[in-house]
Amino acid sequence: MAVKTNILDVRARQVLDSRGNPTVEAEVESGRAMGRASVPSGASKGRHEALELRDGGERFHGMGVAKAVGNVRGALRRGVVGLRVDDQRRLDHKMISLDGTPDKSKLGANAILAVSMASAKAAANSNGVSLFVQLRKSGRYILPVPMMNVINGGEHAGNDLAVQEFLIEPVGASSCAEAIRMGSEVYHSLKAILVSEHGRGAINVGDEGGFAPPFRLTREALGSIRKAVSASGYSEKEVKLGIDAAASTFYDEKSGRYTLDGHAMSGEALEDHYARLRDEFGLLTIEDPFHEEAFDDFASITKRLGRSTKVIGDDIYVTNVARIKLGIEKKATNAVLIKLNQIGTVSETEDAIGLARAAGWTPVVSHRSGETEDPFIAHLATAFGADFIKTGAPARGERVAKYNELLRIEEELRSKAGYAGRELG
Ligand code: 2PG
Ligand code: MG
């Protein structure tokens, strides 16, 4: 006989993500409560990510996830009904073994992750606690520094900026709520500066809610953000800048060169270019400076800039413990981006964060460019003590869903919560 905390039923459906593409939403029902979760989807994906199962064919231009939804309703439901809703590891490992492939390509990482996340929420709701408490029950919680993507380029926007993301990081705030206020103020100052200097067309936004001005050069984008920080009354120490180059997207495998800022560059020349940008703009974070297999180039820039800059690996690691281990061996970076859907279960995501922490690296919990209104990652970042959370501009519903959830979490924790900012500045 099932007790009240066992999984009684699992449901799933197709819903739309923020780019208007279908994605998987699942519901896990325990005797006491229900948990609902939906999965995000990337545009600049790492080659080694777990597989996002898409239908192909004509419906939704091939982007349908009816097969993944079918897998939740069929194989996954049959496999997990009866398991304890609060034994996340057992549940996740059951689904991993039902799939049986290294990249979750049989059932789809989107199917498996939706159930994994929904189950964590069902457990929290069954116990009457917030999700972050369910994910980690003890210890002092530290709220992450928001990394807000205020200018979009690369595959996230229709402009000519090769660098994908230009981020503001309010490390000088005294709380997460204050950081979110500072971020919103800088975002609006930037909007005014872009309108007055480049006209109203410059404030159209990209996939993550950041502006997509008609710039070509990395320096133009960073320069206007720096102006916005100062126009908002903040110093460069209080609000740091960062970039996600997503360099695989401007790397040409044939020539071995990167095309950025009007030049085709070798890895070495690109490192020099980043070093100059770092010196000029005091970049606190540089994500994916090189393509996703360039462990040695990553190690070289980390050695050179890593004392004061977080070199973050995203596409190179894809939240995969085996690849992060390789990175640790090679001293490739000093920080790692964490995305649930790159690996496909909550437990494996927790393991990736734990491994990074043990190596002294900085974990950065991240959204995807295609998101839903699900605020799961706000809880994940709080529960596992991520130093940063990257979840887009302080605008657009699917982005602010996460920032607003952090406000609620901080309010719930009151003085019991710290803010990760100060030590990072
Ligand atoms: C990234 C992400 C999120 P995408 O590269 O870090 O900002 O983009 O989801 O398109 O991979
Ligand atoms: Mg990235």
Side-chain angles (χ1 to χ4, degrees):
M1 250 278 290
V3 293
K4 278 183 177 167
T5 50
N6 287 30
I7 296 176
L8 298 184
D9 197 12
V10 180
R11 296 181 289 269
R13 65 183 64 87
Q14 294 192 80
V15 295
L16 294 182
D17 73 14
S18 57
R19 274 193 282 254
N21 289 319
T23 189
V24 183
E25 176 171 276
E27 288 167 4
V28 167
E29 188 87 51
S30 79
R32 280 190 206 150
M34 189 268 275
R36 174 186 294 142
S38 51
V39 304
S41 172
S44 65
K45 287 184 199 153
R47 198 180 288 166
H48 302 281
E49 292 191 18
L51 184 108
E52 184 180 81
L53 191 60
R54 297 276 180 194
D55 298 336
E58 283 179 8
R59 288 168 75 97
F60 288 116
H61 297 274
M63 296 294 279
V65 290
K67 282 184 201 157
V69 164
N71 291 340
V72 176
R73 292 176 178 161
L76 291 171
R77 180 181 177 279
R78 281 194 301 278
V80 307
V81 162
L83 296 183
R84 284 187 68 94
V85 74
D86 54 358
D87 191 346
Q88 187 76 40
R89 248 162 224 278
R90 175 118 191 269
L91 172 94
D92 288 343
H93 285 112
K94 176 80 189 192
M95 293 195 287
I96 290 166
S97 68
L98 283 170
D99 175 84
T101 67
D103 61 352
K104 302 186 176 67
S105 52
K106 185 170 163 215
L107 299 173
N110 42 354
I112 292 171
L113 179 62
V115 177
S116 181
M117 290 163 67
S119 179
K121 287 194 188 173
N125 295 343
S126 300
N127 290 330
V129 296
S130 291
L131 178 58
F132 71 92
V133 176
Q134 179 64 37
L135 292 172
R136 185 172 63 90
K137 295 187 179 60
S138 58
R140 182 172 154 77
Y141 296 101
I142 308 285
L143 275 282
V145 174
M147 293 172 71
M148 295 171 158
N149 181 5
V150 293
I151 290 188
N152 293 189
E155 297 194 356
H156 295 167
N159 56 14
D160 293 322
L161 287 168
V163 165
Q164 180 177 282
E165 298 168 22
F166 298 85
L167 307 136
I168 49 170
E169 301 161 0
V171 291
S174 57
S175 66
C176 195
E178 193 184 19
I180 290 168
R181 173 175 61 77
M182 290 162 74
S184 158
E185 289 168 3
V186 174
Y187 182 74
H188 285 284
S189 298
L190 178 61
K191 187 173 183 176
I193 288 168
L194 291 175
V195 171
S196 80
E197 293 184 3
H198 306 278
R200 291 195 59 78
I203 55 165
N204 292 333
V205 297
D207 284 0
E208 298 188 349
F211 303 112
F215 293 159
R216 307 189 82 87
L217 302 177
T218 306
R219 293 184 70 256
E220 288 178 273
L222 288 170
S224 58
I225 297 173
R226 183 158 64 184
K227 269 192 204 166
V229 169
S230 119
S232 305
Y234 298 116
S235 71
E236 288 176 24
K237 279 208 164 127
E238 288 171 312
V239 179
K240 295 278 185 181
L241 308 192
I243 56 171
D244 178 4
S248 290
T249 62
F250 55 83
Y251 177 65
D252 175 40
E253 264 178 43
K254 263 200 199 128
S255 63
R257 290 188 175 254
Y258 298 87
T259 303
L260 178 64
D261 294 336
H263 299 282
M265 291 180 250
S266 65
E268 264 172 35
L270 184 58
E271 180 186 308
D272 291 340
H273 189 58
Y274 289 129
R276 281 192 296 270
L277 289 170
R278 199 281 305 261
D279 291 346
E280 188 175 348
F281 296 100
L283 302 177
L284 177 59
T285 60
I286 301 180
E287 180 180 333
D288 280 357
F290 302 103
H291 73 83
E292 62 206 311
E293 309 294 350
F295 281 87
D296 294 341
D297 290 337
F298 271 85
S300 170
I301 197 168
T302 301
K303 196 166 175 209
R304 179 159 168 192
L305 305 181
R307 263 172 62 90
S308 56
T309 301
K310 307 284 178 197
V311 179
I312 306 171
D314 172 13
D315 292 351
I316 186 174
Y317 301 135
V318 293
T319 316
N320 182 314
V321 160
R323 288 187 70 87
I324 297 171
K325 273 189 187 148
L326 196 61
I328 293 169
E329 253 167 55
K330 290 179 173 275
K331 298 191 168 61
T333 63
N334 55 12
V336 58
L337 208 75
I338 300 290
K339 292 167 167 166
L340 284 152
N341 83 323
Q342 283 181 326
I343 192 67
T345 62
V346 174
S347 308
E348 289 165 290
T349 305
E350 181 184 357
D351 292 345
I353 297 174
L355 181 63
R357 269 247 170 280
W361 287 10
T362 302
V364 179
V365 164
S366 170
H367 67 162
R368 299 307 304 249
S369 51
E371 265 294 335
T372 75
E373 65 277 24
D374 194 325
F376 194 102
I377 58 169
H379 292 270
L380 185 83
T382 305
F384 300 130
D387 297 283
F388 292 97
I389 186 167
K390 184 175 91 156
T391 188
R396 322 304 294 184
E398 76 282 3
R399 312 295 152 187
V400 300
K402 283 69 163 170
Y403 294 126
N404 290 343
E405 192 76 350
L406 285 167
L407 295 175
R408 296 180 196 106
I409 292 171
E410 195 166 58
E411 196 178 296
E412 177 180 336
L413 285 167
R414 290 207 196 94
S415 56
K416 280 181 277 168
Y419 174 62
R422 296 267 177 215
E423 285 161 38
L424 293 161

